[in-house]
């Protein structure tokens, strides 16, 4: 495994499909300026899981082998995705090819329904999830905040859900916090990972404070001016957000309430009749 | 050599038209210079496992996908 620093005191570990995971940050491996920066960013993020993909390989290129060697050297668990698939059939075949290549039965299931928003085709997603679960996969569906879709995915055999924060690559953070909060409250015992749209460490910290179990992100780290330092910033934010959630956040109020004791305030009785 | 060994098949490999003397998926992969353990394959949209490639005979017009690990989000 990745060289993991101890979790902040008292922070509960995350369990996904029966596997205890030492970090609540899942990191994508795409769009880094170089393989070395990717490698250093994964280490700095303290992520225990990274996402990968499969793509057409040119004859004699061996690009895939070189990339996989780099990932293997990091000692992290890989989760292949089905990015770019538009139908359940494409996603299922892609997942099967990825399982053979990576020797991993975890799959980040994407069935894309719209080119502009890259939002999931929830109907195709449920269909593909059911088929892959039957085929022995541990499915991590990239979904929206839709509660009914979440129920269907769980009925199909998904034990983890990955609702989007905002469309992939937008960096807008949690676009619909009300619906995400509802989802969190409705499924208190289901691991929920915010996947996509997270642009800043503060977005990730907010997701963790809201009680989400983990955050999956890529672009915000990979395209930062200094991806390695940004990876560390996200790791710190996620750890802080989780600790805060477990510590129990104060209740939000509409009216002010003094923090300094009111009793024995000097001059307290002078200007009041 | 069987008679049909000289006949060339027109297939598609990773989206591009290709002519091949290969008769099976395993032969095609070897003839193109791929290392068999480094790639995964599908024909006409269906996954073909590594151990099945030798049995998967090619037909004219088959669309072959040959993929490898890559960066992903």
């Amino acid at each position: 495994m990745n060289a993991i620093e101890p979790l902040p005191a008292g922070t509960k570990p995350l369990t996904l499909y029966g596997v205890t995971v030492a970090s609540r940050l899942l990191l994508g491996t795409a769009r880094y300026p170089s393989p070395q920066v990717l490698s250093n960013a994964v280490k700095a993020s303290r992520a225990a899981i990274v996402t990968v993909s499969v793509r057409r390989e040119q004859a004699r290129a061996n690009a895939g082998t070189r990339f996989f060697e780099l990932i293997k050297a990091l000692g992290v668990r890989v989760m292949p995705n089905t990015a770019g698939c538009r139908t359940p059939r494409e996603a299922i075949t892609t997942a099967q090819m990825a399982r053979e290549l990576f020797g991993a039965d975890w799959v980040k299931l994407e069935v894309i329904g719209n080119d502009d928003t890259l939002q999931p085709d929830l109907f195709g997603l449920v269909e593909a999830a059911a088929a892959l679960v039957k085929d022995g996969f541990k499915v991590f569906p990239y979904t929206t905040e839709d509660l009914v879709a979440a129920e269907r995915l769980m009925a199909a055999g998904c034990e983890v859900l990955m609702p989007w924060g905002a469309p992939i690559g937008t960096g807008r953070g949690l676009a619909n916090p009300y619906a995400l909060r509802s989802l969190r409250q409705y499924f208190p015992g289901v691991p929920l990972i915010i996947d996509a749209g997270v642009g800043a460490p503060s977005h990730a910290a907010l997701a963790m404070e809201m009680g989400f179990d983990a955050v999956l992100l890529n672009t915000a780290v990979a395209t930062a001016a200094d991806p390695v330092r940004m990876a560390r910033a996200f790791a710190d934010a996620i750890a802080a957000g989780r600790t805060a959630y477990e510590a129990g956040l104060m209740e939000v109020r509409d009216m002010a309430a003094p923090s300094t004791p009111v009793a024995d305030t000097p001059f307290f009785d002078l200007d009041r009749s | 050599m069987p008679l049909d060994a000289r006949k060339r098949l027109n297939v598609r490999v990773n989206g591009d038209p290709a002519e091949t003397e290969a008769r099976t998926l395993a032969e095609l992969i070897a003839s193109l210079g791929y290392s068999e353990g480094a790639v995964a394959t599908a024909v006409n949209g269906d996954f073909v496992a590594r151990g099945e490639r030798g049995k998967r005979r090619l037909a004219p017009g088959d669309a072959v996908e040959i993929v490898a690990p890559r960066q992903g989000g």
Side-chain angles (χ1 to χ4, degrees), chain A residues 85-160:
Chain A
C85 292
R86 294 149 188 257
T87 65
R89 188 167 179 232
E90 285 175 15
I92 291 163
T93 300
T94 300
Q96 289 168 329
M97 292 193 290
R99 177 167 61 180
E100 186 178 75
L101 277 175
F102 292 103
D105 59 3
W106 286 18
V107 60
K108 172 181 161 175
L109 180 61
E110 294 183 41
V111 182
I112 297 300
N114 183 286
D115 285 343
D116 291 327
T117 60
L118 296 180
Q119 70 189 89
D121 169 357
L122 298 176
F123 307 94
L125 184 68
V126 171
E127 185 184 330
L132 288 170
V133 167
K134 255 184 214 151
D135 193 15
F137 283 88
K138 313 284 191 297
V139 177
F140 294 69
Y142 165 61
T143 183
T144 67
E145 60 279 89
D146 190 285
L147 203 144
V148 178
E151 285 188 313
R152 297 286 165 88
L153 288 165
M154 292 185 60
C158 296
E159 294 180 19
V160 178

Side-chain angles (χ1 to χ4, degrees), chain A residues 179-249:
Chain A
L180 287 171
R181 210 166 256 128
S182 301
L183 195 68
R184 178 68 288 178
Q185 284 172 13
Y186 195 76
F187 296 109
V190 179
L192 298 179
I193 300 171
I194 294 292
D195 175 12
V198 173
S202 54
H203 301 154
L206 176 60
M208 299 310 293
E209 288 169 6
M210 286 166 66
F212 286 93
D213 294 278
V215 174
L216 196 171
L217 59 107
N218 185 348
T219 309
V221 168
T223 64
D226 185 339
V228 178
R229 292 184 72 190
M230 189 59 80
R232 195 170 304 129
F234 270 102
D236 291 346
I238 286 168
R242 178 64 194 185
T243 304
Y245 171 72
E246 289 182 14
L249 288 148

Side-chain angles (χ1 to χ4, degrees), chain A residues 22-40:
Chain A
S23 166
R24 291 176 179 272
L25 167 56
L26 291 75
L27 193 62
T29 56
R31 304 186 64 182
Y32 292 81
S34 73
Q36 190 57 52
V37 172
L38 160 62
S39 179
N40 290 343

